[in-house]
Amino acid sequence: MTSLATKVFCRAERVCRHLPVLLNTFLVFSITGEVSYLVLVEAPLEASLKKTAWSAWWKAVHLIAQYFMLGNICWNSLLFLKTSPSIKGVFLGEGMGQGWRYCYTCEAHTPPRCSHCYDCKVCVLRRDHHCVFFGQCVGFHNYRYFLSCLLFMWSGLLYATLMNAEVFIVILKEGVTVHSVLLLLIPWIMLVSGRVSARAFAFAFIADTCVVGFLLVSAFFFFHLFLMVRGQTTREWYSSRRPYNLGLLRNLQHNLGHYWYICWLCPLIPSPMPGDGIHFEVTGSLEPTR
């Protein structure tokens, strides 16, 4: 009986671990589909321009831009998940030196900036944090894909929010009424109660998702830009330590690789890292200031 309960719990844990990834995938493709519909069917607003050459070029440019962003989001996400940031299979050397510690769970000496993740059940090189949305840690080897994914999610949600401005205009065209406010704030309840059609619900829900998602991703994206410029990880930011700050350009190289100025355009562009995730140049005190 205990064995059966353990198996059920392990399977449930596995499913729950993948739920955020599945939810994110569903939302990304739902938003892309809705924006594609707005571009192909609803835009431009003027009826006289809908069948002109200008309209065809306008739609082509919009579709190319949005699927370029979608492709980068998907490819960076895939490479982020496939690139292991852990110490598995990595030769760590003697394990003696300033900043080295012993992990009793992994039974190994770990280098500076490396820490154990109890969700991934392994130590991660230059661990930043465990990303619940991907179900994996952000570390030395996959940080580039994580940040590039955030960049294109931010730009894609900004684009989708601007494209959905028409939806907000249609909902609020008769003024700020109780019906319009409730449709924007609680579209699910409006749908269940039969106050709106499924089509109106879908547009309102996705428009709300674009705005909320844009605000959340903006916070994550600019926070990690701030950390990268300072040469910090999230864990080091908590303790106000900056012992690995090498200056703006070298910080960019140590996070995104030698070709940091172009690698963000496509995850397939090679950008070798200048370090190995084990040895780091120290420019300040390793002791926390608070």
Side-chain angles (χ1 to χ4, degrees), residues 93-138:
E94 294 293 329
M96 299 296 290
Q98 189 180 26
W100 284 71
R101 287 177 292 185
Y102 186 79
C103 177
Y104 290 93
T105 306
C106 295
E107 297 181 345
H109 289 280
T110 58
R113 312 183 85 178
C114 177
S115 65
H116 189 84
C117 176
Y118 291 95
D119 293 300
C120 298
K121 298 179 176 61
V122 70
C123 283
V124 175
L125 294 174
R126 203 187 68 190
R127 180 172 178 262
D128 189 275
H129 69 284
H130 182 85
C131 181
V132 295
F133 297 105
F134 285 108
Q136 180 165 291
C137 270
V138 180

mmCIF file of all heavy atoms in Angstrom, residues 93-138:
data_model
loop_
_atom_site.group_PDB
_atom_site.id
_atom_site.type_symbol
_atom_site.label_atom_id
_atom_site.label_comp_id
_atom_site.label_asym_id
_atom_site.label_seq_id
_atom_site.Cartn_x
_atom_site.Cartn_y
_atom_site.Cartn_z
ATOM 1 N N GLY A 93 37.725 19.400 -10.435
ATOM 2 C CA GLY A 93 39.101 19.556 -9.967
ATOM 3 C C GLY A 93 39.258 19.145 -8.512
ATOM 4 O O GLY A 93 38.482 18.342 -7.964
ATOM 5 N N GLU A 94 40.240 19.736 -7.847
ATOM 6 C CA GLU A 94 40.575 19.361 -6.480
ATOM 7 C C GLU A 94 39.530 19.813 -5.469
ATOM 8 O O GLU A 94 39.346 19.215 -4.429
ATOM 9 C CB GLU A 94 41.941 19.956 -6.103
ATOM 10 C CG GLU A 94 43.105 19.391 -6.888
ATOM 11 C CD GLU A 94 43.347 17.929 -6.573
ATOM 12 O OE1 GLU A 94 43.073 17.510 -5.434
ATOM 13 O OE2 GLU A 94 43.804 17.203 -7.479
ATOM 14 N N GLY A 95 38.858 20.910 -5.769
ATOM 15 C CA GLY A 95 37.856 21.400 -4.835
ATOM 16 C C GLY A 95 38.430 22.136 -3.654
ATOM 17 O O GLY A 95 37.850 22.123 -2.573
ATOM 18 N N MET A 96 39.577 22.749 -3.816
ATOM 19 C CA MET A 96 40.192 23.503 -2.740
ATOM 20 C C MET A 96 40.423 24.939 -3.210
ATOM 21 O O MET A 96 40.955 25.160 -4.290
ATOM 22 C CB MET A 96 41.538 22.879 -2.346
ATOM 23 C CG MET A 96 41.430 21.457 -1.836
ATOM 24 S SD MET A 96 40.495 21.320 -0.295
ATOM 25 C CE MET A 96 41.652 22.094 0.824
ATOM 26 N N GLY A 97 40.011 25.910 -2.407
ATOM 27 C CA GLY A 97 40.224 27.300 -2.763
ATOM 28 C C GLY A 97 39.183 28.184 -2.120
ATOM 29 O O GLY A 97 38.225 27.720 -1.490
ATOM 30 N N GLN A 98 39.360 29.491 -2.278
ATOM 31 C CA GLN A 98 38.452 30.447 -1.682
ATOM 32 C C GLN A 98 37.056 30.335 -2.293
ATOM 33 O O GLN A 98 36.898 30.338 -3.512
ATOM 34 C CB GLN A 98 38.975 31.865 -1.881
ATOM 35 C CG GLN A 98 38.198 32.922 -1.104
ATOM 36 C CD GLN A 98 38.750 34.321 -1.334
ATOM 37 O OE1 GLN A 98 39.356 34.579 -2.363
ATOM 38 N NE2 GLN A 98 38.542 35.213 -0.385
ATOM 39 N N GLY A 99 36.051 30.243 -1.445
ATOM 40 C CA GLY A 99 34.673 30.183 -1.918
ATOM 41 C C GLY A 99 34.146 28.784 -2.169
ATOM 42 O O GLY A 99 32.955 28.606 -2.427
ATOM 43 N N TRP A 100 35.019 27.766 -2.107
ATOM 44 C CA TRP A 100 34.577 26.386 -2.311
ATOM 45 C C TRP A 100 33.871 25.862 -1.071
ATOM 46 O O TRP A 100 34.237 26.207 0.052
ATOM 47 C CB TRP A 100 35.755 25.482 -2.662
ATOM 48 C CG TRP A 100 36.242 25.631 -4.073
ATOM 49 C CD1 TRP A 100 36.919 26.691 -4.591
ATOM 50 C CD2 TRP A 100 36.063 24.701 -5.131
ATOM 51 N NE1 TRP A 100 37.186 26.489 -5.916
ATOM 52 C CE2 TRP A 100 36.671 25.266 -6.287
ATOM 53 C CE3 TRP A 100 35.460 23.454 -5.235
ATOM 54 C CZ2 TRP A 100 36.690 24.624 -7.514
ATOM 55 C CZ3 TRP A 100 35.475 22.800 -6.458
ATOM 56 C CH2 TRP A 100 36.076 23.377 -7.586
ATOM 57 N N ARG A 101 32.862 25.038 -1.276
ATOM 58 C CA ARG A 101 32.121 24.439 -0.172
ATOM 59 C C ARG A 101 31.859 22.962 -0.455
ATOM 60 O O ARG A 101 31.959 22.528 -1.606
ATOM 61 C CB ARG A 101 30.790 25.171 0.042
ATOM 62 C CG ARG A 101 30.947 26.541 0.659
ATOM 63 C CD ARG A 101 29.625 27.251 0.774
ATOM 64 N NE ARG A 101 29.080 27.603 -0.538
ATOM 65 C CZ ARG A 101 27.979 28.307 -0.710
ATOM 66 N NH1 ARG A 101 27.284 28.718 0.326
ATOM 67 N NH2 ARG A 101 27.551 28.601 -1.924
ATOM 68 N N TYR A 102 31.477 22.259 0.592
ATOM 69 C CA TYR A 102 31.152 20.844 0.426
ATOM 70 C C TYR A 102 29.645 20.671 0.513
ATOM 71 O O TYR A 102 29.011 21.118 1.467
ATOM 72 C CB TYR A 102 31.840 19.986 1.487
ATOM 73 C CG TYR A 102 31.647 18.503 1.274
ATOM 74 C CD1 TYR A 102 32.405 17.825 0.325
ATOM 75 C CD2 TYR A 102 30.685 17.807 1.999
ATOM 76 C CE1 TYR A 102 32.226 16.461 0.112
ATOM 77 C CE2 TYR A 102 30.497 16.443 1.795
ATOM 78 C CZ TYR A 102 31.266 15.777 0.844
ATOM 79 O OH TYR A 102 31.074 14.435 0.626
ATOM 80 N N CYS A 103 29.066 20.022 -0.508
ATOM 81 C CA CYS A 103 27.630 19.740 -0.511
ATOM 82 C C CYS A 103 27.417 18.323 0.004
ATOM 83 O O CYS A 103 27.840 17.353 -0.643
ATOM 84 C CB CYS A 103 27.054 19.891 -1.917
ATOM 85 S SG CYS A 103 25.293 19.471 -2.017
ATOM 86 N N TYR A 104 26.761 18.198 1.148
ATOM 87 C CA TYR A 104 26.544 16.882 1.748
ATOM 88 C C TYR A 104 25.477 16.082 1.001
ATOM 89 O O TYR A 104 25.448 14.854 1.090
ATOM 90 C CB TYR A 104 26.155 17.033 3.213
ATOM 91 C CG TYR A 104 27.305 17.512 4.078
ATOM 92 C CD1 TYR A 104 27.488 18.858 4.341
ATOM 93 C CD2 TYR A 104 28.226 16.603 4.606
ATOM 94 C CE1 TYR A 104 28.555 19.302 5.116
ATOM 95 C CE2 TYR A 104 29.291 17.027 5.387
ATOM 96 C CZ TYR A 104 29.450 18.380 5.636
ATOM 97 O OH TYR A 104 30.515 18.814 6.390
ATOM 98 N N THR A 105 24.606 16.763 0.272
ATOM 99 C CA THR A 105 23.577 16.049 -0.495
ATOM 100 C C THR A 105 24.183 15.409 -1.742
ATOM 101 O O THR A 105 23.937 14.240 -2.036
ATOM 102 C CB THR A 105 22.447 17.010 -0.918
ATOM 103 O OG1 THR A 105 21.943 17.672 0.241
ATOM 104 C CG2 THR A 105 21.324 16.268 -1.606
ATOM 105 N N CYS A 106 24.974 16.207 -2.484
ATOM 106 C CA CYS A 106 25.631 15.687 -3.704
ATOM 107 C C CYS A 106 26.932 14.960 -3.395
ATOM 108 O O CYS A 106 27.494 14.292 -4.269
ATOM 109 C CB CYS A 106 25.908 16.828 -4.686
ATOM 110 S SG CYS A 106 24.433 17.632 -5.337
ATOM 111 N N GLU A 107 27.419 15.138 -2.151
ATOM 112 C CA GLU A 107 28.682 14.542 -1.717
ATOM 113 C C GLU A 107 29.825 14.947 -2.652
ATOM 114 O O GLU A 107 30.555 14.115 -3.206
ATOM 115 C CB GLU A 107 28.572 13.010 -1.641
ATOM 116 C CG GLU A 107 27.551 12.542 -0.617
ATOM 117 C CD GLU A 107 27.479 11.025 -0.531
ATOM 118 O OE1 GLU A 107 27.998 10.363 -1.448
ATOM 119 O OE2 GLU A 107 26.922 10.516 0.452
ATOM 120 N N ALA A 108 29.943 16.265 -2.824
ATOM 121 C CA ALA A 108 30.984 16.790 -3.714
ATOM 122 C C ALA A 108 31.382 18.184 -3.265
ATOM 123 O O ALA A 108 30.579 18.922 -2.691
ATOM 124 C CB ALA A 108 30.480 16.839 -5.154
ATOM 125 N N HIS A 109 32.636 18.534 -3.521
ATOM 126 C CA HIS A 109 33.102 19.896 -3.297
ATOM 127 C C HIS A 109 32.590 20.759 -4.452
ATOM 128 O O HIS A 109 32.733 20.396 -5.629
ATOM 129 C CB HIS A 109 34.635 19.945 -3.241
ATOM 130 C CG HIS A 109 35.199 19.325 -2.008
ATOM 131 N ND1 HIS A 109 35.243 19.981 -0.791
ATOM 132 C CD2 HIS A 109 35.736 18.092 -1.800
ATOM 133 C CE1 HIS A 109 35.795 19.195 0.113
ATOM 134 N NE2 HIS A 109 36.111 18.032 -0.466
ATOM 135 N N THR A 110 31.978 21.874 -4.134
ATOM 136 C CA THR A 110 31.376 22.729 -5.171
ATOM 137 C C THR A 110 32.097 24.067 -5.237
ATOM 138 O O THR A 110 32.512 24.613 -4.219
ATOM 139 C CB THR A 110 29.884 22.961 -4.887
ATOM 140 O OG1 THR A 110 29.722 23.564 -3.602
ATOM 141 C CG2 THR A 110 29.120 21.656 -4.943
ATOM 142 N N PRO A 111 32.228 24.631 -6.444
ATOM 143 C CA PRO A 111 32.979 25.885 -6.633
ATOM 144 C C PRO A 111 32.179 27.106 -6.191
ATOM 145 O O PRO A 111 30.991 27.009 -5.852
ATOM 146 C CB PRO A 111 33.217 25.912 -8.144
ATOM 147 C CG PRO A 111 32.081 25.143 -8.715
ATOM 148 C CD PRO A 111 31.775 24.062 -7.719
ATOM 149 N N PRO A 112 32.800 28.285 -6.194
ATOM 150 C CA PRO A 112 32.091 29.520 -5.844
ATOM 151 C C PRO A 112 30.891 29.748 -6.762
ATOM 152 O O PRO A 112 30.909 29.373 -7.928
ATOM 153 C CB PRO A 112 33.155 30.611 -6.049
ATOM 154 C CG PRO A 112 34.459 29.909 -5.949
ATOM 155 C CD PRO A 112 34.229 28.529 -6.479
ATOM 156 N N ARG A 113 29.864 30.369 -6.211
ATOM 157 C CA ARG A 113 28.624 30.724 -6.909
ATOM 158 C C ARG A 113 27.767 29.517 -7.254
ATOM 159 O O ARG A 113 26.732 29.640 -7.897
ATOM 160 C CB ARG A 113 28.915 31.533 -8.181
ATOM 161 C CG ARG A 113 29.884 32.671 -7.986
ATOM 162 C CD ARG A 113 30.081 33.494 -9.238
ATOM 163 N NE ARG A 113 29.061 34.533 -9.373
ATOM 164 C CZ ARG A 113 29.035 35.407 -10.373
ATOM 165 N NH1 ARG A 113 29.945 35.346 -11.324
ATOM 166 N NH2 ARG A 113 28.097 36.326 -10.430
ATOM 167 N N CYS A 114 28.209 28.341 -6.847
ATOM 168 C CA CYS A 114 27.447 27.110 -7.062
ATOM 169 C C CYS A 114 26.656 26.800 -5.797
ATOM 170 O O CYS A 114 27.147 27.001 -4.686
ATOM 171 C CB CYS A 114 28.402 25.961 -7.392
ATOM 172 S SG CYS A 114 27.602 24.356 -7.609
ATOM 173 N N SER A 115 25.417 26.361 -5.954
ATOM 174 C CA SER A 115 24.623 25.993 -4.781
ATOM 175 C C SER A 115 23.669 24.864 -5.135
ATOM 176 O O SER A 115 23.402 24.603 -6.314
ATOM 177 C CB SER A 115 23.837 27.203 -4.249
ATOM 178 O OG SER A 115 22.870 27.616 -5.198
ATOM 179 N N HIS A 116 23.171 24.217 -4.110
ATOM 180 C CA HIS A 116 22.292 23.059 -4.311
ATOM 181 C C HIS A 116 20.850 23.511 -4.497
ATOM 182 O O HIS A 116 20.362 24.399 -3.798
ATOM 183 C CB HIS A 116 22.385 22.111 -3.112
ATOM 184 C CG HIS A 116 21.685 20.811 -3.319
ATOM 185 N ND1 HIS A 116 22.272 19.749 -3.965
ATOM 186 C CD2 HIS A 116 20.426 20.413 -2.985
ATOM 187 C CE1 HIS A 116 21.411 18.740 -4.009
ATOM 188 N NE2 HIS A 116 20.298 19.114 -3.427
ATOM 189 N N CYS A 117 20.164 22.914 -5.474
ATOM 190 C CA CYS A 117 18.737 23.167 -5.688
ATOM 191 C C CYS A 117 17.965 21.944 -5.218
ATOM 192 O O CYS A 117 18.174 20.835 -5.726
ATOM 193 C CB CYS A 117 18.453 23.447 -7.161
ATOM 194 S SG CYS A 117 16.692 23.652 -7.518
ATOM 195 N N TYR A 118 17.061 22.142 -4.281
ATOM 196 C CA TYR A 118 16.303 21.019 -3.740
ATOM 197 C C TYR A 118 15.132 20.626 -4.631
ATOM 198 O O TYR A 118 14.522 19.586 -4.416
ATOM 199 C CB TYR A 118 15.821 21.357 -2.329
ATOM 200 C CG TYR A 118 16.964 21.422 -1.347
ATOM 201 C CD1 TYR A 118 17.571 22.635 -1.036
ATOM 202 C CD2 TYR A 118 17.472 20.263 -0.768
ATOM 203 C CE1 TYR A 118 18.638 22.699 -0.148
ATOM 204 C CE2 TYR A 118 18.535 20.313 0.116
ATOM 205 C CZ TYR A 118 19.121 21.532 0.425
ATOM 206 O OH TYR A 118 20.188 21.586 1.287
ATOM 207 N N ASP A 119 14.830 21.452 -5.634
ATOM 208 C CA ASP A 119 13.822 21.062 -6.623
ATOM 209 C C ASP A 119 14.443 20.197 -7.718
ATOM 210 O O ASP A 119 13.880 19.176 -8.111
ATOM 211 C CB ASP A 119 13.177 22.307 -7.248
ATOM 212 C CG ASP A 119 12.347 23.081 -6.252
ATOM 213 O OD1 ASP A 119 11.392 22.488 -5.713
ATOM 214 O OD2 ASP A 119 12.646 24.266 -6.007
ATOM 215 N N CYS A 120 15.617 20.622 -8.198
ATOM 216 C CA CYS A 120 16.333 19.844 -9.224
ATOM 217 C C CYS A 120 17.121 18.692 -8.622
ATOM 218 O O CYS A 120 17.580 17.796 -9.345
ATOM 219 C CB CYS A 120 17.279 20.753 -10.010
ATOM 220 S SG CYS A 120 16.464 22.079 -10.926
ATOM 221 N N LYS A 121 17.326 18.747 -7.286
ATOM 222 C CA LYS A 121 18.053 17.709 -6.551
ATOM 223 C C LYS A 121 19.501 17.564 -7.030
ATOM 224 O O LYS A 121 20.034 16.456 -7.140
ATOM 225 C CB LYS A 121 17.324 16.363 -6.657
ATOM 226 C CG LYS A 121 15.926 16.370 -6.050
ATOM 227 C CD LYS A 121 15.247 15.026 -6.207
ATOM 228 C CE LYS A 121 13.900 15.000 -5.509
ATOM 229 N NZ LYS A 121 12.955 15.991 -6.030
ATOM 230 N N VAL A 122 20.135 18.697 -7.300
ATOM 231 C CA VAL A 122 21.526 18.682 -7.746
ATOM 232 C C VAL A 122 22.111 20.077 -7.545
ATOM 233 O O VAL A 122 21.366 21.062 -7.451
ATOM 234 C CB VAL A 122 21.604 18.266 -9.238
ATOM 235 C CG1 VAL A 122 21.040 19.354 -10.142
ATOM 236 C CG2 VAL A 122 23.028 17.900 -9.641
ATOM 237 N N CYS A 123 23.439 20.168 -7.480
ATOM 238 C CA CYS A 123 24.104 21.462 -7.405
ATOM 239 C C CYS A 123 24.208 22.066 -8.796
ATOM 240 O O CYS A 123 24.412 21.355 -9.786
ATOM 241 C CB CYS A 123 25.509 21.302 -6.803
ATOM 242 S SG CYS A 123 25.504 21.086 -5.011
ATOM 243 N N VAL A 124 24.063 23.378 -8.872
ATOM 244 C CA VAL A 124 24.029 24.088 -10.150
ATOM 245 C C VAL A 124 25.168 25.102 -10.200
ATOM 246 O O VAL A 124 25.349 25.882 -9.264
ATOM 247 C CB VAL A 124 22.668 24.797 -10.345
ATOM 248 C CG1 VAL A 124 22.674 25.639 -11.623
ATOM 249 C CG2 VAL A 124 21.548 23.778 -10.378
ATOM 250 N N LEU A 125 25.909 25.108 -11.301
ATOM 251 C CA LEU A 125 27.019 26.038 -11.484
ATOM 252 C C LEU A 125 26.498 27.465 -11.650
ATOM 253 O O LEU A 125 25.596 27.712 -12.455
ATOM 254 C CB LEU A 125 27.854 25.650 -12.702
ATOM 255 C CG LEU A 125 28.616 24.321 -12.616
ATOM 256 C CD1 LEU A 125 29.265 23.998 -13.951
ATOM 257 C CD2 LEU A 125 29.661 24.377 -11.515
ATOM 258 N N ARG A 126 27.097 28.391 -10.904
ATOM 259 C CA ARG A 126 26.670 29.797 -10.879
ATOM 260 C C ARG A 126 25.137 29.883 -10.878
ATOM 261 O O ARG A 126 24.522 30.492 -11.726
ATOM 262 C CB ARG A 126 27.232 30.589 -12.063
ATOM 263 C CG ARG A 126 27.279 32.110 -11.781
ATOM 264 C CD ARG A 126 27.678 32.899 -12.995
ATOM 265 N NE ARG A 126 26.652 32.846 -14.041
ATOM 266 C CZ ARG A 126 26.823 33.281 -15.283
ATOM 267 N NH1 ARG A 126 27.977 33.787 -15.648
ATOM 268 N NH2 ARG A 126 25.857 33.203 -16.162
ATOM 269 N N ARG A 127 24.571 29.273 -9.874
ATOM 270 C CA ARG A 127 23.105 29.203 -9.786
ATOM 271 C C ARG A 127 22.517 30.581 -9.540
ATOM 272 O O ARG A 127 22.930 31.293 -8.641
ATOM 273 C CB ARG A 127 22.689 28.247 -8.662
ATOM 274 C CG ARG A 127 21.179 28.103 -8.504
ATOM 275 C CD ARG A 127 20.857 27.006 -7.517
ATOM 276 N NE ARG A 127 19.423 26.896 -7.330
ATOM 277 C CZ ARG A 127 18.757 27.435 -6.319
ATOM 278 N NH1 ARG A 127 19.402 28.118 -5.386
ATOM 279 N NH2 ARG A 127 17.445 27.286 -6.217
ATOM 280 N N ASP A 128 21.536 30.938 -10.355
ATOM 281 C CA ASP A 128 20.824 32.203 -10.180
ATOM 282 C C ASP A 128 19.552 31.977 -9.373
ATOM 283 O O ASP A 128 19.362 32.570 -8.323
ATOM 284 C CB ASP A 128 20.491 32.811 -11.547
ATOM 285 C CG ASP A 128 19.955 34.225 -11.426
ATOM 286 O OD1 ASP A 128 18.737 34.399 -11.208
ATOM 287 O OD2 ASP A 128 20.766 35.159 -11.521
ATOM 288 N N HIS A 129 18.666 31.120 -9.864
ATOM 289 C CA HIS A 129 17.438 30.784 -9.161
ATOM 290 C C HIS A 129 16.795 29.597 -9.860
ATOM 291 O O HIS A 129 17.180 29.227 -10.964
ATOM 292 C CB HIS A 129 16.454 31.974 -9.153
ATOM 293 C CG HIS A 129 15.871 32.293 -10.483
ATOM 294 N ND1 HIS A 129 16.590 32.943 -11.468
ATOM 295 C CD2 HIS A 129 14.641 32.043 -11.016
ATOM 296 C CE1 HIS A 129 15.833 33.089 -12.544
ATOM 297 N NE2 HIS A 129 14.650 32.548 -12.310
ATOM 298 N N HIS A 130 15.804 29.018 -9.210
ATOM 299 C CA HIS A 130 15.020 27.946 -9.826
ATOM 300 C C HIS A 130 13.792 28.574 -10.469
ATOM 301 O O HIS A 130 12.966 29.185 -9.796
ATOM 302 C CB HIS A 130 14.602 26.903 -8.791
ATOM 303 C CG HIS A 130 13.825 25.762 -9.391
ATOM 304 N ND1 HIS A 130 14.437 24.670 -9.964
ATOM 305 C CD2 HIS A 130 12.481 25.561 -9.518
ATOM 306 C CE1 HIS A 130 13.516 23.834 -10.415
ATOM 307 N NE2 HIS A 130 12.325 24.363 -10.167
ATOM 308 N N CYS A 131 13.673 28.444 -11.771
ATOM 309 C CA CYS A 131 12.555 29.047 -12.508
ATOM 310 C C CYS A 131 11.360 28.099 -12.467
ATOM 311 O O CYS A 131 11.380 27.022 -13.080
ATOM 312 C CB CYS A 131 12.962 29.338 -13.944
ATOM 313 S SG CYS A 131 11.654 30.114 -14.912
ATOM 314 N N VAL A 132 10.300 28.494 -11.757
ATOM 315 C CA VAL A 132 9.119 27.637 -11.632
ATOM 316 C C VAL A 132 8.352 27.547 -12.943
ATOM 317 O O VAL A 132 7.635 26.578 -13.194
ATOM 318 C CB VAL A 132 8.195 28.146 -10.513
ATOM 319 C CG1 VAL A 132 8.876 28.037 -9.163
ATOM 320 C CG2 VAL A 132 7.752 29.584 -10.764
ATOM 321 N N PHE A 133 8.488 28.569 -13.812
ATOM 322 C CA PHE A 133 7.764 28.562 -15.074
ATOM 323 C C PHE A 133 8.326 27.539 -16.056
ATOM 324 O O PHE A 133 7.630 27.066 -16.942
ATOM 325 C CB PHE A 133 7.781 29.955 -15.710
ATOM 326 C CG PHE A 133 7.094 30.990 -14.876
ATOM 327 C CD1 PHE A 133 7.817 31.929 -14.164
ATOM 328 C CD2 PHE A 133 5.718 31.013 -14.771
ATOM 329 C CE1 PHE A 133 7.184 32.880 -13.391
ATOM 330 C CE2 PHE A 133 5.074 31.953 -14.003
ATOM 331 C CZ PHE A 133 5.811 32.890 -13.310
ATOM 332 N N PHE A 134 9.627 27.220 -15.920
ATOM 333 C CA PHE A 134 10.252 26.213 -16.772
ATOM 334 C C PHE A 134 10.541 24.918 -16.022
ATOM 335 O O PHE A 134 10.848 23.907 -16.648
ATOM 336 C CB PHE A 134 11.565 26.748 -17.360
ATOM 337 C CG PHE A 134 11.376 27.748 -18.459
ATOM 338 C CD1 PHE A 134 11.657 29.088 -18.248
ATOM 339 C CD2 PHE A 134 10.918 27.359 -19.703
ATOM 340 C CE1 PHE A 134 11.488 30.019 -19.268
ATOM 341 C CE2 PHE A 134 10.746 28.270 -20.721
ATOM 342 C CZ PHE A 134 11.026 29.610 -20.504
ATOM 343 N N GLY A 135 10.477 24.964 -14.702
ATOM 344 C CA GLY A 135 10.757 23.770 -13.918
ATOM 345 C C GLY A 135 12.220 23.388 -13.926
ATOM 346 O O GLY A 135 12.563 22.207 -13.796
ATOM 347 N N GLN A 136 13.107 24.370 -14.074
ATOM 348 C CA GLN A 136 14.549 24.102 -14.114
ATOM 349 C C GLN A 136 15.318 25.306 -13.589
ATOM 350 O O GLN A 136 14.836 26.437 -13.642
ATOM 351 C CB GLN A 136 14.995 23.791 -15.545
ATOM 352 C CG GLN A 136 16.485 23.502 -15.694
ATOM 353 C CD GLN A 136 16.835 22.864 -17.006
ATOM 354 O OE1 GLN A 136 16.491 21.722 -17.252
ATOM 355 N NE2 GLN A 136 17.514 23.599 -17.875
ATOM 356 N N CYS A 137 16.526 25.028 -13.115
ATOM 357 C CA CYS A 137 17.357 26.100 -12.582
ATOM 358 C C CYS A 137 17.993 26.916 -13.707
ATOM 359 O O CYS A 137 18.280 26.407 -14.786
ATOM 360 C CB CYS A 137 18.464 25.521 -11.698
ATOM 361 S SG CYS A 137 17.982 25.383 -9.967
ATOM 362 N N VAL A 138 18.227 28.190 -13.399
ATOM 363 C CA VAL A 138 18.967 29.083 -14.282
ATOM 364 C C VAL A 138 20.395 29.135 -13.764
ATOM 365 O O VAL A 138 20.636 29.508 -12.605
ATOM 366 C CB VAL A 138 18.353 30.498 -14.285
ATOM 367 C CG1 VAL A 138 19.140 31.419 -15.207
ATOM 368 C CG2 VAL A 138 16.888 30.436 -14.692
#
